[in-house]
Amino acid sequence: MATLRFKAIEESMKRKPLEVIPPSEKISDFYGIYVFDKVKMEKYLSNDAFDAVNEAIEQGQRIDRKMADQIASGMKTWAMGHGVTHYTHWFQPLTEGTAEKHDTFVELTSNGAAIEQFSGKLLAQQEPDASSFPSGGIRNTFEARGYTAWDPSSPAFILENTLIIPTIFISYTGEALDYKTPLLKALNSLDKSAVEVCQYFDKDVTKVISNLGWEQEYFLVDEAVYNARPDLILTGRTLMGHASAKNQQLEDQYFGQIPSRVLNFMKDLEFEAYKLGIPVKTRHNEVAPNQYEVAPIYEETNLAIDHNLLIMQLMRSVSRKHNFIVLLHEKPFAGINGSGKHNNWSVATNTGVNLLSPGKTPKSNMQFLTFLINTLAAVHKHNALIKASIASSGNQHRLGANEAPPAIISAFLGQQLNQMLDEIETRVTDEKMTPDEKTVIKLDIGKIPEILLDNTDRNRTSPFAFTGNKFEFRAVGSSANCASAMTALNAALAAQLMDFKTEVDKLIEKGVKKDEAILQILRKLIKSSKPIRFEGNGYSDEWKEEAAKRGLDCESSVPRVFDAYLTPQSQELFTRTKVFTHVEMEARAEVRLELYIKKVQIESRVLGDLVSNHILPTVLEYQSMLIENVTGLKALYSEADFKLLSARRLAQIKDISAAVEKIEKLLEEMVITRKDANKVEEARERAILYAEKIFPYFEEIRYHVDKLELIVDNKRWPLPKYRELLFIR
Ligand code: ADP
Ligand code: MG
């Protein structure tokens, strides 16, 4: 019966805001106290060891074992000063989130005494018994093992008495089994190719980094009501539930006041984030009820991703203290907005120049245009792959659903910049320009900063929008590891810059002046990448037609979207940038497919269980009560009166039976379809069956269940309703 639901609601209504006291008055007093950052390294390491770490961070130099020993020892001393007893390698397997295995520092000496030890060997490399992480068939689970290796570019930190060491995770034969390894390779490749291109403009540029500022959206629900929803517990989303009469239609949530229970959670989360050196900057309500966002100041991409994974972990633990559960799923509730994770992305030089920010002089603006246009060319060429990088079973609910970007990748520039590119494209018509033409172009290029200042035009329907000094990639899912998207995007730009340089150099060799050579190739790229530029409404049906005509990838079935991983074009990209070998690529595609299948399979099973064992029995009970009522009426009244008095009741009894019949038939069909699908050997084919044959049942079944929710007596309904899940006071 519905007792669990009512107990849960009662419990949730009794909650009081949990007071949180800041660790200190000023944030700067406790910011980063649990991070083994440069300040602490300087204090705890010898000069040599400190230099070794810095060189590893800045130039990717290897750290030798002797140095590693010194660094490990310094880390241990610092960590033990904070009461740390254990350490762990922290890695990002191809499932979701992060993985860790804790070991204590304690070792036994020959005479049996305990002593805290942490060697360079343990810092640098470990073999977790990780044979059950998905590997897409790379690693034979019986003989081979994967190992984790320290990533010095992301600092170690302390979480709950454990020293956490960010690492990569690779198979014994060197294939990546995680998200971080290919990301680091992509960033490295971008660094190399971007530096070479920057050299055209500024000889002082020796390093180019990619920056990422993520905006994490999430929902909060009360812990008690959550616990009364098996679908939320097992799948992260509600598989049924009629819309609340009031949801987001009044648009009163977005700028509304944050409820104090939630505000206290946010503050608590921020304090924890600050201690770990996560530069959280923004908190606010989102559009849907109970939906919020947290965003930090942007950081170097590898670190930003570690911080995003860490904050997702913190959100889960801190929310529990406040009797909330955080939902990171892309679509926890039907009918209201889902959650995404905008990836604000830019590239910058060691000389402090943001390459996606217009400069003050024509020269710096040439550099800006070079990076802008090459980005467009890269996204155009690899639009299908970039979409594959963000596709998932959760994100499929969001993309193309008129609240999130469409399932077609396009880039938005804003009117002025668009015009500017059009002008460059049309004006430079000859191989050799007249001095006048050159001046006109230089004048145009020189005036970019002014026009961008008032370029406040923001197209919310675009998946990849230029916002003044960065691109905002909006199609990333809220639960995703951003590394997947950032690997594809940065690798695509890296390869594009290589091509750009080759072409420019060819012209220079032929005797064309450098500036002219650059302009000529840019003009060519503006032309060829034109199909990716779209300023209109990405939600419209016309765009779908138009995009198909332009040759953009319009596939929306997730398993088919993954095909883009294995096209010759993607293979070429990843081989050239050394991001993935072909084996790794195949393995990765397989893992994504398997994960997709498993998620949809779990949802299908949970739906079956909930409907058969929770909903239908309740509905039938209620119907029996109606039948009893009608039978009673029949006994009391004459035939004529009975007809008059029971017509609606009889119709309702019939409606319920019809709905129950329909639901049971659909359930049966779904189970048969699932059984058939499970017999299919090949992952891609099986995933397609799950996406195109099984998944559609969910919507149909839920439609009838949600209608029944409105018919059945409220006090019998077993699951907390949307209105009970969605409005935290
Ligand atoms: P909103 O999109 O909500 O208006 P902003 O676009 O101002 O907010 O900022 C969102 C994120 O973009 C923040 O994490 C911010 O640090 C980041 N950001 C700002 N400038 C850059 C940049 N040059 N490169 C990467 N990220 C940036
Ligand atoms: Mg933004």
Side-chain angles (χ1 to χ4, degrees):
M1 280 295 279
T3 39
L4 180 58
R5 171 173 153 230
F6 286 108
K7 263 175 76 178
I9 297 165
E10 207 179 300
E11 207 176 317
S12 76
M13 291 189 23
K14 279 196 289 211
R15 308 254 195 239
K16 296 270 176 296
L18 184 73
E19 281 308 319
V20 280
I21 301 148
S24 174
E25 242 170 70
K26 289 209 308 282
I27 292 167
S28 54
D29 286 345
F30 58 96
Y31 187 82
I33 51 166
Y34 290 147
V35 186
F36 196 58
D37 55 20
K38 287 196 176 167
V39 179
K40 276 131 209 160
M41 281 189 217
E42 209 161 11
K43 189 167 159 201
Y44 286 89
L45 301 183
S46 69
N47 286 347
D48 285 354
F50 180 65
D51 290 346
V53 181
N54 269 329
E55 275 167 25
I57 297 170
E58 306 296 337
Q59 293 138 35
Q61 304 282 37
R62 279 190 175 280
I63 295 174
D64 68 33
R65 188 46 58 81
K66 209 177 106 222
M67 278 308 158
D69 275 336
Q70 284 193 28
I71 297 162
S73 161
M75 256 186 209
K76 185 192 72 180
T77 310
W78 166 72
M80 284 177 63
H82 286 284
V84 167
T85 52
H86 287 67
Y87 65 92
T88 182
H89 275 198
W90 188 68
F91 58 103
Q92 304 169 18
L94 295 174
T95 47
E96 276 163 359
T98 55
E100 50 198 73
K101 170 180 164 256
H102 297 198
D103 284 300
T104 161
F105 285 135
V106 169
E107 304 274 345
L108 293 184
T109 63
S110 53
N111 52 16
I115 173 176
E116 275 85 7
Q117 261 182 348
F118 187 48
S119 66
K121 185 164 166 284
L122 293 175
L123 165 65
Q125 193 170 317
Q126 273 194 33
E127 282 195 34
D129 182 18
S131 49
S132 55
F133 287 107
S135 66
I138 283 181
R139 206 160 23 96
N140 182 326
T141 25
F142 298 105
E143 43 172 341
R145 290 208 276 182
Y147 64 89
T148 53
W150 176 35
D151 166 22
S153 61
S154 181
F157 56 92
I158 295 170
L159 200 62
E160 286 164 14
N161 295 331
T162 302
L163 174 67
I164 315 253
I165 298 147
T167 60
I168 56 170
F169 178 37
I170 44 189
S171 78
Y172 79 114
T173 40
E175 282 95 5
L177 297 173
D178 67 346
Y179 279 112
K180 195 192 257 273
T181 309
L183 174 80
L184 291 176
K185 289 177 176 173
L187 296 176
N188 192 30
S189 178
L190 176 66
D191 176 18
K192 287 211 180 78
S193 60
V195 165
E196 288 193 356
V197 170
C198 284
Q199 291 273 323
Y200 287 138
F201 307 96
D202 182 355
K203 294 283 176 213
D204 291 337
V205 174
T206 55
K207 188 167 174 68
V208 169
I209 60 161
S210 153
N211 284 319
L212 166 64
W214 40 262
E215 301 166 56
Q216 176 75 52
E217 291 181 338
Y218 61 97
F219 279 87
L220 287 177
V221 289
D222 186 90
E223 193 181 20
V225 270
Y226 169 89
N227 282 329
R229 292 283 314 212
D231 48 356
L232 275 182
I233 297 174
L234 298 175
T235 71
R237 72 180 183 102
T238 53
L239 298 173
M240 57 192 69
H242 196 280
S244 165
K246 173 184 185 294
N247 50 45
Q248 64 186 44
Q249 65 273 60
L250 297 181
E251 293 172 355
D252 52 354
Q253 156 83 353
Y254 193 57
F255 284 118
Q257 199 182 1
I258 302 175
S260 51
R261 256 186 89 191
V262 175
L263 191 61
N264 287 5
F265 155 74
M266 287 174 166
K267 284 183 188 161
D268 206 356
L269 176 69
E270 284 165 12
F271 295 148
E272 294 308 316
Y274 292 144
K275 288 185 212 163
L276 291 165
I278 307 174
V280 173
K281 181 90 175 159
T282 318
R283 56 163 109 112
H284 62 76
N285 286 359
E286 264 305 326
V287 175
N290 276 17
Q291 194 187 25
Y292 303 96
E293 179 185 295
V294 57
I297 298 168
Y298 68 90
E299 298 175 287
E300 184 279 319
T301 296
N302 178 36
L303 184 60
I305 290 172
D306 282 1
H307 279 168
N308 179 241
L309 289 164
L310 188 51
I311 209 156
M312 292 198 278
Q313 195 171 332
L314 286 180
M315 287 165 99
R316 290 193 186 96
S317 58
V318 176
S319 62
R320 297 302 285 260
K321 275 205 287 182
H322 295 258
N323 299 108
F324 286 132
I325 298 288
V326 62
L327 304 178
L328 293 168
H329 193 284
E330 284 75 13
K331 193 77 181 175
F333 303 99
I336 55 174
N337 280 11
S339 300
K341 181 150 54 194
H342 294 178
N343 278 207
N344 294 272
W345 168 84
S346 64
V347 277
T349 66
N350 59 310
T351 54
V353 173
N354 174 358
L355 294 164
L356 288 176
S357 179
K360 289 203 168 56
T361 62
K363 189 174 150 188
S364 55
N365 276 332
M366 259 319 259
Q367 181 171 269
F368 159 67
L369 285 173
T370 297
F371 278 84
L372 181 84
I373 293 163
N374 275 290
T375 301
L376 294 175
V379 174
H380 173 237
K381 190 165 176 192
H382 297 289
N383 71 87
L385 174 70
I386 287 169
K387 185 164 72 188
S389 78
I390 53 92
S392 69
S393 64
N395 219 10
Q396 72 184 350
H397 296 271
R398 244 183 104 231
L399 300 185
N402 282 11
E403 40 133 322
I408 300 165
I409 301 293
S410 66
F412 169 85
L413 288 182
Q415 199 199 345
Q416 289 93 335
L417 211 47
N418 235 330
Q419 235 164 28
M420 169 104 218
L421 295 199
D422 288 344
E423 275 170 33
I424 296 176
E425 183 195 340
T426 49
R427 197 164 283 153
V428 194
T429 47
D430 292 321
E431 292 258 309
K432 288 208 168 71
M433 290 175 283
T434 66
D436 268 2
E437 280 172 326
K438 272 194 240 169
T439 315
V440 173
I441 286 172
K442 280 198 174 160
L443 279 177
D444 266 349
I445 292 172
K447 76 183 185 204
I448 295 176
E450 301 161 47
I451 58 178
L452 277 188
L453 273 185
D454 46 67
N455 180 6
T456 48
D457 188 8
R458 283 190 165 204
N459 184 332
R460 286 281 157 201
T461 70
S462 174
F464 194 71
F466 186 72
T467 49
N469 62 355
K470 60 186 187 291
F471 275 99
E472 191 169 328
F473 185 29
R474 302 191 179 121
V476 184
S478 52
S479 71
N481 183 327
C482 308
S484 177
M486 286 294 111
T487 300
L489 186 58
N490 286 295
L493 179 58
Q496 174 55 41
L497 290 171
M498 291 177 199
D499 291 340
F500 176 75
K501 175 150 171 43
T502 310
E503 292 198 59
V504 170
D505 285 353
K506 245 189 231 155
L507 288 183
I508 294 175
E509 262 170 46
K510 277 192 205 155
V512 183
K513 280 228 178 93
K514 186 178 78 184
D515 280 1
E516 268 175 42
I518 290 171
L519 257 180
Q520 273 184 36
I521 303 301
L522 287 183
R523 179 183 133 240
K524 204 184 102 185
L525 289 176
I526 291 174
K527 263 207 176 86
S528 62
S529 68
K530 222 171 186 174
I532 201 72
R533 277 157 60 197
F534 178 61
E535 304 287 301
N537 178 5
Y539 297 164
S540 67
D541 288 332
E542 297 88 73
W543 169 233
K544 282 186 203 147
E545 271 174 44
E546 164 76 15
K549 271 191 220 143
R550 291 186 186 192
L552 298 178
D553 188 280
C554 296
E555 184 58 65
S556 64
S557 170
V558 174
R560 295 183 202 272
V561 168
F562 288 149
D563 287 348
Y565 273 133
L566 299 174
T567 57
Q569 200 176 22
S570 300
Q571 272 185 48
E572 193 272 340
L573 166 73
F574 287 134
T575 317
R576 196 145 56 104
T577 52
K578 300 194 173 65
V579 169
F580 289 116
T581 62
H582 185 51
V583 175
E584 286 175 316
M585 238 13 274
E586 278 189 327
R588 205 148 289 239
E590 176 108 0
V591 169
R592 298 288 284 258
L593 287 169
E594 290 287 354
L595 196 62
Y596 180 87
I597 293 167
K598 282 180 191 153
K599 292 234 164 169
V600 180
Q601 188 178 50
I602 291 170
E603 289 184 348
S604 168
R605 287 177 177 160
V606 173
L607 182 65
D609 168 50
L610 276 184
V611 172
S612 313
N613 306 325
H614 298 237
I615 303 299
L616 292 186
T618 307
V619 170
L620 293 177
E621 250 176 42
Y622 177 66
Q623 194 197 33
S624 302
M625 200 195 74
L626 294 182
I627 292 170
E628 220 175 281
N629 174 279
V630 172
T631 326
L633 290 177
K634 195 167 180 142
L636 277 178
Y637 294 103
S638 69
E639 186 68 24
D641 276 354
F642 172 70
K643 263 194 181 151
L644 209 63
L645 294 171
S646 62
R648 285 201 176 72
R649 209 57 61 238
L650 285 168
Q652 207 173 27
I653 291 168
K654 206 168 161 191
D655 285 350
I656 291 176
S657 284
V660 170
E661 274 299 308
K662 184 94 192 146
I663 290 170
E664 287 188 318
K665 182 169 164 283
L666 289 167
L667 275 179
E668 269 169 32
E669 283 173 19
M670 180 174 78
V671 172
I672 292 169
T673 317
R674 207 168 69 210
K675 287 203 167 122
D676 287 345
N678 290 344
K679 287 185 201 129
V680 174
E681 189 76 25
E682 218 232 324
R684 180 178 177 275
E685 291 309 312
R686 197 162 10 105
I688 288 174
L689 288 175
Y690 267 91
E692 293 163 24
K693 296 275 182 277
I694 296 166
F695 184 71
Y697 278 109
F698 299 179
E699 201 54 38
E700 247 194 292
I701 292 171
R702 136 172 228 164
Y703 170 80
H704 296 288
V705 172
D706 290 355
K707 275 180 90 166
L708 285 171
E709 187 186 314
L710 291 190
I711 296 177
V712 172
D713 179 6
N714 180 54
K715 74 174 183 293
R716 289 171 186 266
W717 197 255
L719 304 177
K721 299 185 174 183
Y722 268 27
R723 62 164 190 267
E724 292 148 1
L725 287 161
L726 279 172
F727 296 92
I728 288 167
R729 281 158 292 260

